[in-house]
Amino acid sequence: MRITCPLCGTRDRREFTWQGDALAIHRPARDAGPEAWDNYIHLRENPAGKTRDLWYHDPCGTWAVAERDTVTHAVHSTTLVTEVPR
Amino acid sequence: MRVAGKGLLTGAAPVSFTFDGTSYQGLQGDTLASALLANDVRLMGRSFKYHRPRGVLTAGSEEPSALVRVGKGSQAVPNVRATQQEIFDGIDAASQNRWPNLKYDVLSVNDLISPFLSAGFYYKTFMWPRAFWEGLYEPFIRRAAGLGALSGESNAEPYEKAFAFCDVLVIGSGPAGLMAALTAARGGADVILADEDSRMGGRLLAETEAVDGKPAAHWTADILNELKGMPNVRLMNRTTVTGAYDHGTFGALERVGLHGPADGPRECFWRIVARGAVLAAGALERPIAFPDNDRPGIMTAGAVRAYLNRWGVSPGREVTIFGNNDDAHRTARDLADAGVRVAGLIDSRADAKVTGDFPVFTGGKIIATRGRLGLENITVEHEGGTRIIRTDCLAMSGGWNPSVHLTCHMNGRPEWKPEIASFIPRPGAIPGMVVAGSAQGIFSTSGCLADGIRAAGKVLQSLGMKAPTIELPTAEDQTYALEPLWVVEGKGRKWLDFQNDVTVRDIRLAAQENFRSVEHMKRYTTQGMATDQGKNSNVAALALLADATGRGIPETGTTTFRPPYVPVSIAAMGAGGQGMGFAPQRFTTSHQASHERGAPMIEAGYWYRPSYFPRPGEKTWLDSCNREVNMVRASVGVCDVSTLGKIDIQGHDAATFLDFVYSNTFSTLPVGRVRYGLMLREDGHVMDDGTTARLGDNHYVMTTTTAAAGLVMRHLDFVAQVLRPELDVQIVSVTEQWAQFSVAGPKSRDLVNAMLDNHVDDASFPYMACGSVNVSGVPGRLFRISFSGEQAYEIAVPARFGGSLYRLMTAQAESMGGGPYGMEALNVLRIEKGFITHAEIHGRTTAFDIGMDRMVSLKKDCIGQTASRREGLLEDTREQLVGLRPIAAEAKLTAGAHLFDKEAEAIRVNDQGYVTSVCYSPTLKTNLGLAFLKRGRARHGEVIRLVDHLRKIETLCEVCDPVFLDPEGERLRG
Amino acid sequence: MNYSGLKVIWEGLTGNKGWKPMWRDPVPKPEYDVIIIGGGGHGLSTAHYLAKNHGITNVAVLEKGYLGSGNIGRNTTIVRANYVLPGNSEFYSHSLKLWEGLEADLNYNVMHSQRGLINLFHSDGQRDAFVRRGNSMINQGDDAILLDREGVRRHLPYLDFDNTRFPIYGGLLHPRGGTARHDAVAWGYARAADQRGVDLIQNCEVTGIDITDGKVTGVQTSRGAIRAKKVAMIVAGRSSQVAAMAGMRLPIESHVLQAFVTEGLKPVIDHVVSFGMGHFYISQSDKGGLVFGGDLDFYSSYAARGNLPMVEHVMEAGMTLMPMIGKAKVLRSWGGIMDMSPDGSPIIDKAHIDGLYVNCGWNYGGFKAVPASGYATAHLLATGTPHETAASFRLDRFRTGRGIMDEEGTGSQHNLH
């Protein structure tokens, strides 16, 4: 498996750490209520197909959002998380 | 027997080798199988279940029957395919799965009772009495099962791993593969051509047909010469591409040193990253299921041709051929041309056109065979009647199956092609891979050559490269005609899976018992689960299941081929892991000095840290540990704490950032001061703790625990980039840039001042102060922090000065009645003081549980704050951190013991908590423990019973505050 | 048909012609009392216990593929009851007791082999954690023995005790731990349920869950609509998709876990050995293959296949721990889709929709749970109340923070358990 770090280019999967759905970007306000926080921390769409998730390129310390397919493992794009529209 | 003048080994050097203790002569270039056949040895192994005598079935890596052990002692490799192993002088091979010897095998009794051992019989019996399973039945089954044996000794030979990158990976070097490689290479692509054989050429080495007007082997040599001369081509023979993985990654096994005496690497496991690939893996011939079709001497027709045309060996003196297709006729023709007696060609098709100077039986079938340890004769039923033919080798062909295996590795399902009665790959099954030649169901030489050009062109195009014009060499272009023949009915068992002894009857029994799904059939009968992964049997078994269940083959479906294509040794895929190579080793700058002092080193994550520093007269670790604790409490000790994570945090928003990642507040911390911080996970549990120093308005340095250093660094990057990208903050790990030492004890200031160019005093540098210092002329940092409860400092210098500073400080400490201390003493010092480590913050505890709830500031948001307020995490019934003191000071406390009320039975429903850390405190002259206890904070003073079932220890303890020593912190500030 | 050694002999003598189908292939009825979505281990055992313990036999098990096509046929077959946390302890303890009577209960030899499981530890801290675990096991009434280094050597002399990255300090032996033949468990439960009248319907994909006024009324399938007032989703690996048909989001992420088997070898490993430091565990099947595995591939996936980095990591771990397996050759690797939950523990509960039940989140520990999971789910379906051994497996525990069972202590990130 090969992932493209937006800064370093395409690298072996060994250089990356995966960390879940990109919904992590949208952290609720602290008073958003238990439902919102349960949704944020625990509940998942968990799609079989297209997904957006977070990958960390360990050697350069960069977080990226990958648009990816959980069935085929195809990676359609990777974007610096700091450049993802919020 | 060797046939004079035949084959490609003419003039090769003789080689002597041993099989089952007997010495034989072969030729350089022989496989074990070809060399044994040359010596008229047909019996080479025993089958898995019935221990049936077996010879070779094939001439390649798909061989299910002729599996042998090669080498002796720890070098012995079990289950080696005799059809793949090249012989070399002195090679020692032996048969397997037989006792006492290959000819007389006691367990061949299984063959006699085979009616009782039908598919899945074991699910229906051996159930009574229950205790007999582990005691009697299973040990017997285990001993009878298995093929070869491991030596039981540790691997002692080197194995390697390597990466390779290319534009086009061509898998297989037959006509399609060679043309694909040539096309890609002439097109300017970086090409890797991999073939599992020792010699490249594929089927071209096994056939007599001409290519480009030359003998096929000569043409092959010419093409390979051109490829060898090109700088953009890498030829990898003896290299099997074993798996297709995501994004153009392939696994491949190179047999580097298995064809010679043991020196250098045995195998190398390659990770090949290719932008495109051509699969030209050819096709595998399938056997026909006729009665007793498994005797030594019965093999595939293509294998017979390969032995004859490549190795110059005829596997028999009177050969018969049985097939359902025209391709089988070539075997008869080539044998006859070589002067071998062809005792008969049996073609199941009534309308088959055969010419040749040998008896031909069209519309014929083999209905019986005889010969216990090797084929003696066959009974043929044909249009003219029934006759028995004497024969010692039967070449059979049920048609050819394209080698679709790699195309299934990413869940691709091949499609049925009725014209060839087999499966071909679906396009696009592996992104970037194009399939060519007989792997695609094209069986003429000319067709394969052309398809190789086509496939490479397609790959080049996808890479944005131009395909060169390549002239198609002339070659035979015969059509491949066949009529499916899956089984010949008749008395006797008809083998499908030769190794696992799965017969036609087993497939039908599975269907009879309603195992109609192909996966059920496979799993119930074990068909396809032998070492050939069903290469020889899948298609026929599927056809028979389809027939038995009244469905067509496409509706019946297929099982999935999984990686690896051929079995791969664990030593190869795990190369580098043996011994210390499994994980990096990290050493502190004081490592050598500690080692010289005789300190036993212990693993702390990837780091090594000294356990204790023994001195003469100390008999146990505890003696040293007690001395070191007393030393710190009385004078001064030095300890390397460089393994703790150190993270440099700078930027205008550094303070805001820290307020967000720590549960407590850092924006209020004055410059030149240090604060203890508690870090939560977003789920409200404690992630880590440590101190953070404010070196400037916009500059902090954070310490983490040794264990969590990497995790925290990634977490901080996560928070900065994912959650708070608007903050101006830069974060970098400086763990390895700084060597840092704890100096603890009442004399710590004196020791520190002995190192500093400008002395510090208590007023200018009070408890929790920090700042820049000069350490013997070297710019460093000083922190007034303590993990021991004593007056203490941590002194940091750039890592290159760490070793010398450590030596200086330990020498100075010794002159002051102190010295170095290790992990054992460090642990005692912190338990006495009630400081926590990951034994307490083990991932399931909250700030509330460890008594630090007030450190979760509600004045601001922080990671984990909201989740830490969940009702279930704030209940008084939760287990809370407490101290434990045994009622009798010497009574044992053990970490991992559970806590119970004094009189309660020690069972789960009465469980009150558990002990996390224990020590003997030389300061307080008692054993001490830290524990989590239900409602613990309200139970100080209560007597509780500690129970360690495993060590059979029960101790009454008093519950107390976890801070055993100096609760007011006077020593810290002293 | 009753299976026995005598029957095997009689059939052997008469051409094996008398063996009857293991189960029927019934046409789905228009309505059932209970529909179980998922014909895997947990679904089939639920059907069996519904019929056997509660007399509820008007039950359909709807399976998209073939019976046992999910993780029941893709796991590394380990059976153990060695949990540390209350909630898990009693459940897996119950499961192991059911395993011990399973052959007699099912009249099917699932080859449950209590060969002993040894968890190795490599530091004082790990020892303390395993001591806590072992004491939890004994508190629960199960068995555990603490081994020191020499004790481990007596059991596993082939480990590398001298030149290995993480030296062996000792191990926790769980004598009643072991293995079983995975497919046989599915088949045994299927046959037993079928014999009690449960309809096992293969190649029947559920495409919708019908809900009216907050109540379940049935399901839509590739073979038509089927009515039922109670529907249980028991589809680990596909839980999120099926739950989405009922408009639910679950606390589940799907991950791939790879496993490996070598060629058949004569007996060489007699226990189940677990090397937590290297994320490696291994046992030897009765057929002789070394069956082993490691950690997740660590990215969400439904591909049921993995990649080389974890393959190689697992092999490297094997080589540092027991370099005598180096010359064993890996025959096949495969992947399963794991339902990863936020605390690594499962869910058996009612959904907020009346008549809808959820059984999911088995992480990579579902195989050993099959008996107790079916037992508890059947109890919940039949009585409306959780079985006492599974009372902690609540769906709302993450929202409330009450009763989180995080055995690994890695927190709410699904893939870290």
Side-chain angles (χ1 to χ4, degrees):
Chain A
M1 186 176 249
R2 313 273 297 168
I3 310 286
T4 301
C5 168
L7 297 184
C8 307
T10 303
R11 294 288 187 275
D12 192 89
R13 186 259 177 278
R14 287 168 180 79
E15 296 187 8
F16 295 84
T17 302
W18 179 91
Q19 190 169 310
D21 197 292
L23 68 77
I25 296 170
H26 306 288
R27 187 172 182 271
R30 59 173 166 158
D31 56 358
E35 299 295 322
W37 277 94
D38 194 27
N39 266 316
Y40 179 70
I41 300 179
H42 306 116
L43 303 183
R44 295 290 179 264
E45 253 356 278
N46 195 25
K50 272 198 174 178
T51 194
R52 290 171 79 237
D53 49 18
L54 289 161
W55 296 76
Y56 183 65
H57 190 219
D58 287 274
C60 76
T62 300
W63 283 96
V65 174
E67 299 211 347
R68 204 172 62 84
D69 192 303
T70 58
V71 175
T72 65
H73 290 174
V75 180
H76 306 299
S77 71
T78 48
T79 314
L80 281 179
V81 72
T82 49
E83 292 177 359
V84 168
R86 288 164 193 258
Chain B
M1 64 172 181
R2 197 78 67 177
V3 182
K6 280 297 289 182
L8 308 177
L9 305 188
T10 316
V15 171
S16 48
F17 67 100
T18 310
F19 178 66
D20 274 349
T22 306
S23 287
Y24 299 95
Q25 293 279 317
L27 295 175
Q28 187 78 38
D30 262 329
T31 64
L32 197 54
S34 69
L36 285 170
L37 290 172
N39 284 280
D40 296 328
V41 176
R42 289 186 295 171
L43 178 62
M44 296 184 201
R46 290 272 175 174
S47 68
F48 180 82
K49 187 171 170 185
Y50 301 139
H51 288 246
R52 295 269 294 183
R54 290 286 162 79
V56 291
L57 181 68
T58 72
S61 67
E62 70 275 21
E63 175 61 30
S65 295
L67 304 190
V68 299
R69 185 262 293 150
V70 171
K72 284 182 172 166
S74 72
Q75 296 189 345
V77 183
N79 301 338
V80 174
R81 287 127 196 83
T83 48
Q84 202 176 19
Q85 175 65 51
E86 297 163 60
I87 58 166
F88 54 88
D89 261 324
I91 185 175
D92 183 281
S95 55
Q96 306 182 138
N97 199 30
R98 79 290 184 276
W99 186 85
N101 61 49
L102 191 52
K103 274 189 183 153
Y104 305 98
D105 176 10
V106 167
L107 274 180
S108 57
V109 67
N110 284 359
D111 199 32
L112 300 175
I113 58 166
S114 65
F116 310 114
L117 310 183
S118 60
F121 78 97
Y122 30 78
Y123 300 126
K124 300 168 179 165
T125 182
F126 301 133
M127 284 180 276
W128 186 86
R130 156 88 195 143
F132 275 31
W133 177 250
E134 284 91 348
L136 181 70
Y137 303 136
E138 187 178 51
F140 178 78
I141 290 170
R142 287 189 71 196
R143 270 199 290 277
L147 289 165
L150 290 174
S151 70
E153 293 176 52
S154 286
N155 172 61
E157 284 91 42
Y159 288 77
E160 294 283 350
K161 276 201 268 201
F163 273 101
F165 296 81
C166 63
D167 293 324
V168 184
L169 170 66
V170 180
I171 302 160
S173 66
L178 283 177
M179 287 316 287
L182 192 68
T183 306
R186 285 195 192 159
D190 279 329
V191 175
I192 291 179
L193 173 61
D195 193 295
E196 71 175 345
D197 208 322
S198 57
R199 186 165 174 169
M200 291 209 172
R203 264 326 279 185
L204 293 172
L205 305 178
E207 305 291 355
T208 53
E209 271 74 14
V211 179
D212 210 12
K214 297 178 248 190
H218 291 187
W219 179 83
T220 303
D222 290 348
I223 299 292
L224 286 170
N225 267 335
E226 177 178 347
L227 290 172
K228 258 180 223 160
M230 298 173 81
N232 54 335
V233 176
R234 176 179 205 155
L235 300 179
M236 297 178 73
N237 64 343
R238 299 193 178 94
T239 303
T240 311
V241 175
T242 56
Y245 300 91
D246 283 314
H247 312 143
T249 307
F250 295 85
L253 180 74
E254 181 182 6
R255 306 188 307 283
V256 182
L258 295 178
H259 52 286
D263 57 344
R266 312 303 291 150
E267 295 174 302
C268 178
F269 186 71
W270 289 86
R271 288 73 58 95
I272 301 175
V273 180
R275 296 172 65 212
V278 175
L279 179 68
L284 298 173
E285 199 169 21
R286 57 187 180 231
I288 299 172
F290 55 87
D292 290 323
N293 60 338
D294 70 325
R295 299 188 193 280
I298 303 180
M299 61 189 80
T300 63
V304 170
R305 227 150 57 231
Y307 287 118
L308 181 71
N309 293 329
R310 175 169 171 187
W311 287 287
V313 171
S314 174
R317 288 179 156 77
E318 294 172 295
V319 183
T320 41
I321 295 98
F322 177 33
N324 64 343
N325 62 77
D326 295 347
D327 192 66
H329 303 172
R330 295 182 185 184
T331 303
R333 179 201 64 193
D334 288 358
L335 286 164
D337 288 352
V340 178
R341 185 173 129 68
V342 174
L345 168 66
I346 303 110
D347 194 314
S348 62
R349 298 168 299 171
D351 57 353
K353 304 274 180 295
V354 193
T355 50
D357 189 15
F358 38 75
V360 173
F361 306 91
T362 50
K365 285 168 184 167
I366 296 176
I367 56 166
T369 74
R370 276 160 296 272
R372 195 176 72 84
L373 297 175
L375 182 66
E376 289 167 10
N377 63 59
I378 59 174
T379 304
V380 178
E381 191 184 77
H382 60 103
E383 285 165 329
T386 301
R387 79 152 67 184
I388 294 174
I389 303 174
R390 199 173 67 170
T391 178
D392 56 354
C393 172
L394 171 64
M396 61 180 161
S397 177
W400 292 78
N401 297 327
S403 291
V404 301
H405 312 80
L406 282 172
T407 68
C408 300
H409 286 183
M410 290 172 71
N411 296 338
R413 291 289 166 124
E415 58 193 1
W416 181 250
K417 192 172 177 185
E419 304 91 286
I420 61 168
S422 195
F423 290 92
I424 59 167
R426 256 180 235 280
I430 305 289
M433 177 191 271
V434 178
V435 184
S438 20
Q440 187 63 32
I442 295 166
F443 290 124
S444 78
T445 312
S446 176
C448 286
L449 293 165
D451 206 40
I453 300 172
R454 174 199 65 86
K458 209 171 158 191
V459 172
L460 287 175
Q461 194 184 15
S462 73
L463 301 180
M465 302 173 87
K466 198 171 170 310
T469 309
I470 305 265
E471 199 180 328
L472 178 67
T474 56
E476 63 83 20
D477 197 13
Q478 287 168 26
T479 51
Y480 166 77
L482 106 166
E483 183 180 279
L485 176 64
W486 305 114
V487 60
V488 177
E489 302 293 351
K491 198 171 172 309
R493 283 167 291 168
K494 304 144 204 90
W495 268 263
L496 289 165
D497 187 321
F498 284 71
Q499 186 181 112
N500 272 359
D501 282 325
V502 180
T503 64
V504 170
R505 174 175 284 191
D506 291 316
I507 307 296
R508 290 174 176 162
L509 178 61
Q512 176 187 331
E513 296 191 72
N514 209 7
F515 287 104
R516 294 162 55 90
S517 154
V518 62
E519 279 285 349
H520 277 161
M521 178 276 286
K522 164 190 154 186
R523 290 158 184 267
Y524 191 58
T525 64
T526 75
Q527 179 276 323
M529 295 171 91
T531 57
D532 67 335
Q533 242 199 85
K535 290 191 184 83
N536 298 291
S537 58
N538 268 9
V539 176
L542 185 62
L544 286 162
L545 180 69
D547 179 60
T549 56
R551 293 172 294 181
I553 292 173
E555 297 88 81
T556 306
T558 58
T559 56
T560 309
F561 292 107
R562 303 276 185 197
Y565 173 72
V566 294
V568 180
S569 67
I570 294 174
M573 279 196 281
Q578 197 174 343
M580 305 307 275
F582 177 56
Q585 293 175 285
R586 300 179 78 180
F587 299 106
T588 61
T589 57
S590 64
H591 187 85
Q592 184 60 26
S594 298
H595 183 68
E596 286 165 14
R597 287 173 175 273
M601 306 302 284
I602 53 168
E603 295 77 17
Y606 292 163
W607 291 97
Y608 288 86
R609 302 186 76 180
S611 182
Y612 56 95
F613 294 85
R615 285 198 183 162
E618 291 173 349
K619 293 194 178 66
T620 68
W621 68 270
L622 188 58
D623 291 346
S624 306
C625 174
N626 286 339
R627 174 188 43 78
E628 290 172 17
V629 171
N630 289 333
M631 174 186 83
V632 171
R633 297 267 180 242
S635 60
V636 64
V638 178
C639 179
D640 191 331
V641 294
S642 309
T643 62
L644 274 72
K646 297 181 278 295
I647 300 173
D648 200 84
I649 300 164
Q650 301 191 33
H652 287 104
D653 297 320
T656 312
F657 176 77
L658 285 169
D659 282 350
F660 190 61
V661 294
Y662 274 131
S663 72
N664 49 329
T665 308
F666 279 78
S667 52
T668 56
L669 181 68
V671 173
R673 285 292 182 276
V674 186
R675 186 168 284 169
Y676 174 77
L678 194 66
M679 197 177 282
L680 306 183
R681 296 188 310 235
E682 193 70 282
D683 69 358
H685 293 75
V686 179
M687 173 192 273
D688 199 36
D689 67 348
T691 59
T692 288
R694 190 166 198 172
L695 302 178
D697 277 343
N698 300 324
H699 187 191
Y700 292 81
V701 62
M702 173 189 285
T703 62
T704 75
T705 59
T706 300
L711 177 73
V712 170
M713 183 62 212
R714 190 165 68 232
H715 174 66
L716 297 187
D717 275 337
F718 177 84
V719 174
Q721 296 170 39
V722 179
L723 301 182
R724 303 297 298 273
E726 79 281 7
L727 297 183
D728 171 22
V729 59
Q730 308 299 324
I731 309 158
V732 66
S733 167
V734 293
T735 305
E736 289 177 346
Q737 279 67 26
W738 291 91
Q740 193 154 318
F741 306 99
S742 169
V743 182
K747 297 182 184 171
S748 56
R749 188 180 310 121
D750 296 341
L751 173 51
V752 165
N753 279 334
M755 301 297 128
L756 297 183
D757 296 350
N758 299 303
H759 288 189
V760 293
D761 60 31
D762 206 35
S764 65
F765 211 84
Y767 178 55
M768 291 309 229
C770 68
S772 296
V773 290
N774 276 323
V775 187
S776 307
V778 173
R781 289 172 181 167
L782 190 66
F783 309 88
R784 174 93 184 260
I785 51 178
S786 173
F787 195 51
S788 60
E790 294 301 322
Q791 181 199 89
Y793 298 81
E794 287 189 13
I795 186 166
V797 291
R800 63 187 181 282
F801 302 109
S804 47
L805 180 62
Y806 182 78
R807 286 177 197 272
L808 275 176
M809 287 204 295
T810 48
Q812 179 72 23
E814 280 170 333
S815 75
M816 299 162 65
Y821 65 100
M823 288 302 98
E824 294 294 349
L826 181 142
N827 195 42
V828 173
L829 291 162
R830 70 96 189 172
I831 292 173
E832 289 179 339
K833 192 59 192 160
F835 288 144
I836 53 172
T837 65
H838 282 294
E840 286 75 37
I841 46 173
H842 50 49
R844 287 178 292 268
T845 49
T846 62
F848 175 83
D849 299 339
I850 57 174
M852 294 192 185
D853 198 37
R854 64 190 161 71
M855 283 192 69
V856 183
S857 165
L858 299 179
K859 290 182 191 149
K860 55 162 179 99
D861 192 10
C862 76
I863 297 286
Q865 184 195 84
T866 307
S868 76
R869 302 285 104 190
R870 283 180 285 173
E871 59 202 65
L873 297 184
L874 296 169
E875 286 172 347
D876 268 338
T877 50
R878 287 181 66 86
E879 292 160 341
Q880 300 164 351
L881 184 67
V882 295
L884 294 180
R885 277 173 185 265
I887 300 299
E890 298 300 315
K892 278 189 178 166
L893 304 184
T894 53
H898 287 238
L899 302 174
F900 297 90
D901 288 341
K902 213 168 148 183
E903 305 296 336
E905 193 187 349
I907 57 175
R908 177 180 50 83
V909 289
N910 295 329
D911 201 337
Q912 295 293 301
Y914 57 96
V915 183
T916 55
S917 300
V918 297
C919 72
Y920 172 71
S921 163
T923 319
L924 301 172
K925 307 277 187 291
T926 178
N927 286 316
L928 297 176
L930 296 176
F932 283 96
L933 178 67
K934 282 182 182 165
R935 295 183 296 106
R937 284 193 285 275
R939 295 169 76 174
H940 291 184
E942 202 176 295
V943 173
I944 200 130
R945 192 163 108 258
L946 171 156
V947 179
D948 186 340
H949 296 289
L950 294 172
R951 296 163 169 133
K952 302 194 171 33
I953 289 170
E954 293 209 6
T955 303
L956 289 178
C957 308
E958 186 195 331
V959 179
C960 59
D961 190 87
V963 183
F964 299 99
L965 186 73
D966 186 28
E968 308 306 321
E970 283 163 17
R971 288 166 176 255
L972 286 169
R973 293 176 175 84
Chain C
M1 171 180 280
N2 199 51
Y3 290 156
S4 68
L6 280 176
K7 176 77 180 157
V8 168
I9 291 170
W10 171 255
E11 285 296 331
L13 293 172
T14 55
N16 286 305
K17 292 196 177 75
W19 296 114
K20 296 279 190 299
M22 287 277 290
W23 43 72
R24 299 165 292 128
D25 276 319
V27 174
K29 293 192 279 190
E31 181 158 4
Y32 290 91
D33 292 339
V34 178
I35 286 174
I36 294 168
I37 308 174
H42 294 251
L44 293 167
S45 73
T46 299
H48 169 67
Y49 293 114
L50 267 178
K52 185 187 171 213
N53 293 356
H54 304 282
I56 300 173
T57 58
N58 186 26
V59 174
V61 176
L62 308 183
E63 169 53 49
K64 179 171 74 166
Y66 58 93
L67 295 174
S69 51
N71 290 330
I72 186 80
R74 292 162 198 264
N75 60 79
T76 44
T77 80
I78 296 167
V79 176
R80 59 188 165 91
N82 63 343
Y83 282 71
V84 68
L85 298 177
N88 281 329
S89 284
E90 56 266 39
F91 177 81
Y92 291 103
S93 180
H94 181 229
S95 208
L96 186 51
K97 289 196 184 80
L98 292 173
W99 276 106
E100 287 166 341
L102 205 54
E103 273 100 358
D105 186 8
L106 303 180
N107 177 232
Y108 204 70
N109 188 357
V110 301
M111 301 183 203
H112 179 216
S113 165
Q114 296 189 287
R115 50 184 66 183
L117 177 151
I118 297 176
N119 279 95
L120 300 168
F121 48 79
H122 307 268
S123 69
D124 290 338
Q126 288 179 6
R127 176 194 293 121
D128 295 346
F130 274 111
V131 168
R132 181 183 170 201
R133 180 173 297 269
N135 281 314
S136 283
M137 292 157 70
I138 296 172
N139 288 341
Q140 174 58 37
D142 294 320
D143 60 340
I145 296 167
L146 185 66
L147 303 174
D148 61 10
R149 187 179 159 87
E150 289 314 305
V152 172
R153 199 194 292 269
R154 275 195 301 279
H155 284 93
L156 313 173
Y158 48 80
L159 300 187
D160 192 335
F161 287 88
D162 304 317
N163 175 36
T164 188
R165 179 64 182 84
F166 297 108
I168 295 157
Y169 279 47
L172 188 67
L173 169 63
H174 173 30
R176 283 164 66 226
T179 60
R181 168 84 182 106
H182 56 8
D183 288 325
V185 178
W187 302 338
Y189 272 116
R191 171 170 165 267
D194 174 84
Q195 285 181 345
R196 289 180 190 269
V198 171
D199 281 358
L200 309 176
I201 302 166
Q202 303 184 75
N203 302 308
C204 178
E205 181 173 4
V206 172
T207 54
I209 298 175
D210 298 332
I211 300 163
T212 312
D213 300 332
K215 288 182 183 155
V216 163
T217 58
V219 298
Q220 300 292 324
T221 78
S222 55
R223 295 173 69 175
I226 309 176
R227 305 288 97 200
K229 291 196 176 63
K230 290 182 180 178
V231 172
M233 305 185 286
I234 313 182
V235 288
R238 286 279 163 184
S239 299
S240 299
Q241 277 72 48
V242 176
M245 294 176 196
M248 292 174 70
R249 281 173 102 214
L250 293 175
I252 298 293
E253 245 175 39
S254 297
H255 284 266
V256 59
L257 180 71
Q258 300 193 68
F260 309 89
V261 64
T262 69
E263 300 173 335
L265 297 158
K266 293 296 176 190
V268 63
I269 292 177
D270 294 332
H271 303 76
V272 181
V273 182
S274 178
F275 172 40
M277 201 72 199
H279 305 292
F280 172 85
Y281 54 92
I282 189 166
S283 66
Q284 187 170 16
S285 78
D286 287 341
K287 248 185 96 191
L290 306 181
V291 180
F292 60 102
D295 220 328
L296 297 178
D297 263 31
F298 289 121
Y299 46 81
S300 65
S301 169
Y302 285 90
R305 59 179 181 82
N307 274 287
L308 278 175
M310 189 49 67
V311 175
E312 294 176 43
H313 181 78
V314 170
M315 308 292 160
E316 288 163 15
M319 288 306 289
T320 194
L321 182 69
M322 44 176 77
M324 67 101 184
I325 63 173
K327 295 195 171 65
K329 292 190 275 287
V330 175
L331 173 60
R332 197 166 59 243
S333 64
W334 65 96
I337 307 170
M338 306 291 114
D339 253 23
M340 301 304 292
S341 73
D343 65 355
S345 293
I347 292 158
I348 300 177
D349 206 350
K350 295 182 193 176
H352 65 283
I353 296 156
D354 204 21
L356 188 62
Y357 298 80
V358 190
N359 173 315
C360 68
W362 292 99
N363 294 273
Y364 28 64
F367 178 65
K368 63 186 166 294
V370 162
S373 168
Y375 200 100
T377 309
H379 187 273
L380 180 66
L381 279 162
T383 68
T385 53
H387 188 256
E388 56 181 359
T389 61
S392 305
F393 297 160
R394 310 309 298 269
L395 196 49
D396 69 353
R397 66 181 184 269
F398 308 107
R399 189 169 51 75
T400 64
R402 190 175 289 110
I404 293 171
M405 288 162 288
D406 183 358
E407 294 266 333
E408 305 272 336
T410 45
S412 62
Q413 198 182 318
H414 303 68
N415 65 321
L416 294 184
H417 295 284

